[in-house]
Amino acid sequence: MFSFYDCLRAVLKFLFTALFHLKVNGQANIPSQGGVIIASNHVSNWDPPMLGTAMQRPLCALAKEELFKVPVFSFIIRKLNAFPIRRGAADRAAISAALKLLKEGKAVLLFPEGTRSKDGKLGEGKHGVAMLAVKAGVPI
């Protein structure tokens, strides 16, 4: 039985490949099982769905809490394995949720800069990525 995540990922993968010629390099570097952090820079609103379609395994994503304030959108992104994080503060609930997922062997997507780049340039990363990896004992 296919989940909402699986169905939407298949549709988006077809569209991204057809429209944008999506090509994935280095897939062999992503562990096929066990906890792993997928850390990416964030320059577009398309980054989360593009990464979700590019990976061969489902991703759980940390997303800014503001996205969860719109009920319909909140419902959809929760079905797509997203969970909220409060930016600009130590969000213990989000950290605990991410650690739990990693220890359960899930792939967790996060954006180390903590926000989308407005100019396309790489910003300074936050310390949370390394801390999560060390605490969960998973690769980045």
Side-chain angles (χ1 to χ4, degrees):
M1 176 113 174
F2 288 101
S3 68
F4 177 70
Y5 184 99
D6 294 328
C7 292
L8 187 57
R9 184 167 81 173
V11 169
L12 289 178
K13 187 168 189 165
F14 172 78
L15 289 174
F16 290 155
T17 302
L19 298 174
F20 305 120
H21 307 287
L22 175 67
K23 183 178 178 185
V24 179
N25 294 313
Q27 190 68 249
N29 297 316
I30 308 294
S32 60
Q33 56 189 356
V36 63
I37 294 173
I38 305 297
S40 175
N41 46 343
H42 194 9
V43 296
S44 166
N45 287 329
W46 288 105
D47 294 335
M50 194 76 75
L51 287 161
T53 61
M55 297 295 120
Q56 292 180 339
R57 59 188 287 190
L59 299 179
C60 301
L62 283 157
K64 63 182 180 179
E65 70 178 344
E66 294 85 358
L67 296 176
F68 295 85
K69 293 187 179 186
V70 179
V72 172
F73 191 67
S74 176
F75 176 80
I76 292 168
I77 61 176
R78 285 181 192 279
K79 290 289 184 189
L80 296 172
N81 303 334
F83 58 101
I85 186 165
R86 203 169 353 107
R87 297 183 302 167
D91 187 342
R92 291 178 189 247
I95 301 285
S96 294
L99 278 171
K100 181 178 183 287
L101 290 165
L102 290 166
K103 288 180 179 179
E104 289 173 356
K106 308 282 191 212
V108 174
L109 169 65
L110 51 84
F111 300 99
E113 298 162 279
T115 190
R116 192 175 63 253
S117 170
K118 303 287 189 246
D119 60 8
K121 294 180 182 170
L122 192 60
E124 187 173 323
K126 309 290 185 212
H127 302 291
V129 179
M131 186 265 311
L132 276 174
V134 169
K135 283 191 174 245
V138 300
I140 302 172

